[in-house]
Amino acid sequence: MASRANHLVLLGCGLLCAATSLCAQMIDPSAAQAQVYQAPPAYQTPLYQGPAAIPSPAAASNFPIASDARLAGDAKQTRFILDLDKAIQFRAFSLADPYRVIVDLPQVSFQLPAGVGVTGRGLVKAFRYGLVMPGGSRIVFDLTGPAKIAKSYVLEAANGQPPRLVLEFEEVDRTAFVQSLAPENRPELRPAIAEANAAVAQPDAPAAPKPAPGPPDKRPVVVIDPGHGGVDNGTQAGGGDIMEKNLVLGFGLALRDRIEKSGKYRVVMTRTDDTFVPLGDRVKIARSESAALFVSIHADALRRGEGDAQGATIYTLSDKASDSEAERLADTENKSDAIGGVSLADEPTEVADILIDLVQRETKTFSNRFARVLMGEMKTTVRMHKHPLKSAGFRVLKAPDVPSVLVELGYVSNKGDLEHLVSENWRNRTVGAMAQAIDAFLAKRLATAGPGK
C-alpha cells in the first residue's frame, strides 16, 4: 500500500508540474514568442539551411508562411503570385539603375520550393527573398528593363485558394519609369542598426533607469563579419541548397566562441542571424567599436568556364586589384547592397570621408601584416590558394583606422573545397588557426603600441 501511495504522489506531482508549465505559457505568451528571435547558433544546426528549409514549429506558428511563388505573363505584362497562410500588409516601390522592384513585408517564414526565383519570366529577370531585419522580410525583383507596378494587392482566401500577394508589372519607357519614382513610392531603406537605435531613442518613450556604470571593458575589440545574409544569399552550390551566407555565419559564430574562450578580447559580430546588413553599416560597426581588428568571412565561387580554383585566400584593401580574379570578386561583393535593394546613389557622407582617409598608410600596413600572420597559421592546417595573399577595392574593408582583411575560406564551386566547408572537423581546425593568428597579431601589436591600441 505504501508503495502504491508513493507512486500516486509522484504521478500527481508530475501532472501538477505539467499543468503549471502550460499555465505559464498561456499567461505569458511573450516568453514563448521571444524564443523565435533567439535561434540556436548556426554551428549547432546543419551547416547549410536554404530559404526553403522548414522552420521550427514555434517559428511557423508566429510568422506568416509563404509556401509557393510563381510568375506568369510576358515581356509586356508580368504577374507575381505569392501563396501565404494568412493575409499580410506590405509596401512595394521601384528603384532604377539597375531596375528593381522592392517589396517589404512583415517577417515571413519562407518555405518555397528549392530554386524558386533563380530564373525569371517576362519583365522579371529573377527574384530573391529573405530577412532584412528582425521583424521585416523583403522580396527583391531584378527587372529586364523599366517597368512599373501596375497593381499590387492581397487576395483573401477563397474557393480553396490560400491568401495570395499579387504584383502586376507593366512595361514602360525610361521617361515614364523615372516619373513614377515619386519620393513616397521609393522610401530609402533604413539599415537595421539605425532602425533599432531610432526605436530606442523615441522622445515620447519613458526614460529607462540607467544601470550603474561598471568598469570600462578595455580589452581589444575584434569584429567578425559573416558576409551576406537575409535577401543576399551569396554564392550557392549543391543545386542552390548550400548557401554562402549560412556557411560563413556558422564559421563566424564558431570563431567568436573560440576567441572569447581566452578572455583576452571582446568580440563583436556584424550579424548573428540571417539578417541583411548593408556594407556601410558593417564598416560603421568596426569604427564605432574602435576595433583593433576586422575580419570578414566569405566563400567564393567561379562560374562555369572560369576554371576550377581551390583553397583559401586572404584579401586586403587596395585601390588597384592584385589580379583580375581579385577585381572580379571585389566587384561582386561590392554589389551586395544592390542585391538587398539599397539605393547606391545616396551614399552617406561617411563613405566620402572613408575614401579620403584611405591614404592612412599605417592601417594598411597593419592589415598587410595581419594577413601575413594569418596566412602563416592557416597554411599549416588549411589548403591555401596558389596565390593566397591578394588585394582589391572591397568596400567592407574601407574603415580607415581599423586593420581589416577579407578571408575567402574556399570555393563552393570546387568539390574538394565544398566538402571542407561543410565539414565540422575542417571548420574546427580552421577556426583554431585563425584564432591563433588573431592572438599572435594583437599580442605583438599591443606590446609595441601599448593598451591604447
Side-chain angles (χ1 to χ4, degrees), residues 292-305:
L293 192 60
F294 177 92
V295 182
S296 192
I297 310 293
H298 292 257
D300 197 9
L302 292 179
R303 300 183 184 90
R304 288 184 179 180

Side-chain angles (χ1 to χ4, degrees), residues 55 69 111 121 153 161 175 198 212 257 280 334 357 374 408:
Q111 299 181 25
R121 179 169 178 167
Y153 48 91
Q161 295 293 325
T175 304
D257 291 352
N334 290 346
D357 289 341
L374 183 57
E408 293 285 346

